[in-house]
Structures are given as structure tokens and as C-alpha cells.
Amino acid sequence: MKNKVLLSIAAALPVLASCDIPLPEQYALASSSSLPEGIAYDEWTYSFFATAINGGEITRISGLGQEQVFHASDDPMVSFSGAHVDGERRLLWVCQVDVKTDPVPNSKVVAFDIDEAALVRSIDLGEPSFCNDLTTDEDGAVYATDSALPNIYRIGEDDELEVFATSPQFAPGGAIGLNGLDIAPGGEDLLVVKTMPPALYRVSLADPTDIAEVTFSGDPFAVPGDPRFPGPDGLEFLGDELYVIYDGGVQQLTFSGDDHTQAEVRTTTSVPTGLTSATVAEGRLYLIDSEVYRVLYMFQPPELPFKILHLDASLFAAM
């Protein structure tokens, strides 16, 4: 019955676009304990999806702000992290981690039919593994990062799992290795960030052994010594610019050349603390404010409510 109600809500959501009403600047989330981490947006139903590190839930937030449980695991110890919508195939892809086996858990890549709110695919990455973030290419293949091992996985249409790219450069230098990833415009390169120590890599999709660490000009990448930049987390392309998300700041990367190995960095700290990841919604960038770093690593209470908020691109203008 719950899923039927959700589908009725989703069916009504296109009214938002037909009335040409812009998405709000921010959304307050209902939970006070879930620690939302991943975010994705579905253009067909004008809705956000927020994953949760605690509590085993994925929520759906309409463009008008109504929030409902999209999926609730039978096991509250299941943790959901990165999320990505494949709109063409009507799939919500999510990283699922079994936190009962900390400090090195096992994980899965799972997919939900967006319109039926049903789990339809599940691919076990084995133990140990820590699926952190994922994305899809134009053919529907899934690419997922492993924060525990120096691997990027690829999952084909028949759920065939392979280590797509691996390198000693990807090895974690602390608790978290590889983190956010996204495919660059043009579909030829995959950009992936490492949290500890901070680094950004370009991986050729045609030749995954062709791995290059991105070099920078402009502002320093990851701003060494600034507590608002404990390590890069999520990343998302909006047009040709790549946005890298930190707990208390965002960096805009503009690439020179066509191989995505050199970028000019612009930085803003005019954002709340607690950020983890981003998604593109109706041509604008939206961030999720989840307080993960403060709660899990600094052992502080969260500043509520958790939020989804628009990032104003003018923060990077004329810097």
C-alpha cells in the first residue's frame, strides 16, 4: 500500500514543471538521526532521493517538498551511501553497506525501479568492500568506487562484475580512499576523487589503465590545513565544470584542454558545514547537508534539520 501511495504522488509531480515553478532554494529533511549522505534527482518525476547512513532508509522528496520513505530495509544496520539515477532505464542505483562488519564491511550495488519503488538488482562486491559512490554511462553500465580497496568496479547489463580500474594511487592513506566519481561531458573520461590523502584522478573509459592524477592552478586543491576541508567527498559535473564537495566548502574545477588532467580551482566557503554530495536538478546544483563528518568523526551532535540546498554558482564568479 505504501508503494501505491508513493506512485500516486510521483504521478502528480509533473504538474510542477508544467506550471513552470522553479525548485525551492532548499528543503528541510524530516529525520533527526539518519545522517543522509547520497543524493540523486529524477527529472521524470521531479523528485530527489536521499540515502541514509543510519536507519536503513532511502527517502523521496518531491519538487514541492513532500517527503516519503521510498525504501526501508528489514535490517536497520544497513547503510546506504552514494546514489545515482539512470533516468532512461528508470533505475535508482545505490551503494549498500553492511555496517555490522565494521571496520571493513562488505557491500553491494543495488538498483530500484523508480516507478514501482521495488528492488530489482543486487550485485555483491564481496568482503571486504566499501561501496561509496556510483554513476552510469550512456549504455547503462555502472561504475562504483571502493573506499577500502584501490578499485573502481564496472557492472554490465547482465550484472557481470569486474574490477574496471585499479592502481596503487587509489589505495587509501587513512580511513577512506576513493570516494565520489562522475563521467565527464563527452563520455570519454571518468573523474574520481580520493579522500585520504586528497587527490583527483582521470581514468580513460576506453583504456582504464590510462590513469592520470589531475594537476591544479588557481586556489589550492583541498585547502591544506583548513578544517572545513577534511578531505574531498562527492563530486558532480554541471556543464563543463566539476564541483568537488567538502564538509565546509565547495570547489569549482574548470579544465583546460580536452583530457581532463589540468584544472583551475575556485573555492567557496559560503556554504553550511555538513556537506557530502551533490546532484544536478533542473540545470542547477543541489547539495545534501548531512553532518556526517561532524557526527561520525568529531563525535558532535548534528545541527538540525538536515537539508537539501541549491548552490549559487555566482559564489564562484569574479574570484
Side-chain angles (χ1 to χ4, degrees):
M1 179 61 70
K2 180 187 293 183
N3 287 348
K4 290 182 179 179
V5 173
L6 288 175
L7 290 176
S8 297
I9 293 172
L13 292 178
V15 174
L16 179 72
S18 65
C19 295
D20 196 27
I21 300 173
L23 297 179
E25 289 296 298
Q26 69 176 40
Y27 303 81
L29 302 182
S31 174
S32 61
S33 61
S34 65
L35 294 184
E37 204 276 349
I39 183 172
Y41 181 75
D42 177 34
E43 293 182 344
W44 288 28
T45 58
Y46 307 94
S47 54
F48 293 92
F49 295 91
T51 66
I53 287 182
N54 297 339
E57 288 188 351
I58 301 170
T59 55
R60 183 178 200 157
I61 304 95
S62 79
L64 295 175
Q66 298 98 336
E67 184 177 356
Q68 298 283 342
V69 175
F70 175 77
H71 172 78
S73 172
D74 295 332
D75 183 356
M77 293 300 289
V78 165
S79 178
F80 295 112
S81 52
H84 177 77
V85 164
D86 182 343
E88 180 179 345
R89 295 163 186 83
R90 309 304 301 137
L91 294 175
L92 170 67
W93 288 98
V94 178
C95 285
Q96 174 180 311
V97 184
D98 179 0
V99 296
K100 295 188 297 296
T101 54
D102 269 350
V104 183
N106 67 294
S107 56
K108 299 177 181 178
V109 172
V110 297
F112 299 89
D113 182 306
I114 292 174
D115 304 312
E116 298 293 334
L119 177 67
V120 292
R121 296 172 70 177
S122 179
I123 302 94
D124 196 331
L125 299 186
E127 187 174 344
S129 65
F130 194 115
C131 181
N132 194 310
D133 198 12
L134 37 67
T135 191
T136 59
D137 64 19
E138 61 181 9
D139 297 320
V142 181
Y143 300 85
T145 55
D146 190 330
S147 290
L149 300 175
N151 297 333
I152 300 172
Y153 303 104
R154 184 183 186 276
I155 300 167
E157 60 181 352
D158 297 324
D159 290 350
E160 181 179 354
L161 174 68
E162 63 174 329
V163 176
F164 173 72
T166 187
S167 170
Q169 299 175 88
F170 295 164
I176 301 175
L178 295 181
N179 204 319
L181 79 168
D182 199 12
I183 294 175
E188 297 180 354
D189 295 322
L190 182 72
L191 276 296
V192 59
V193 74
K194 185 168 75 171
T195 298
M196 299 179 181
L200 181 69
Y201 300 96
R202 188 272 292 144
V203 181
S204 168
L205 288 177
D207 177 9
T209 65
D210 180 5
I211 300 169
E213 183 171 355
V214 178
T215 58
F216 306 103
S217 59
D219 295 337
F221 182 70
V223 193
D226 190 325
R228 294 169 295 190
F229 294 81
D233 195 335
L235 54 78
E236 185 80 11
F237 273 99
L238 175 59
D240 291 329
E241 276 71 45
L242 179 66
Y243 292 84
V244 182
I245 315 303
Y246 299 80
D247 175 68
V250 179
Q251 294 194 303
Q252 180 194 67
L253 276 57
T254 302
F255 291 91
S256 58
D258 57 4
D259 63 354
H260 298 99
T261 61
Q262 170 67 43
E264 180 183 6
V265 181
R266 292 181 175 181
T267 303
T268 182
T269 55
S270 298
V271 292
T273 58
L275 304 178
T276 54
S277 53
T279 190
V280 174
E282 305 306 312
R284 305 201 302 171
L285 199 69
Y286 278 80
L287 315 174
I288 194 157
D289 179 358
S290 67
E291 302 290 321
V292 168
Y293 183 77
R294 174 175 290 100
V295 174
L296 294 186
Y297 298 102
M298 299 180 68
F299 308 105
Q300 297 179 4
E303 295 181 5
L304 299 174
F306 303 124
K307 298 182 289 293
I308 296 171
L309 52 97
H310 167 238
L311 178 69
D312 187 350
S314 67
L315 294 174
F316 303 96
M319 297 179 65

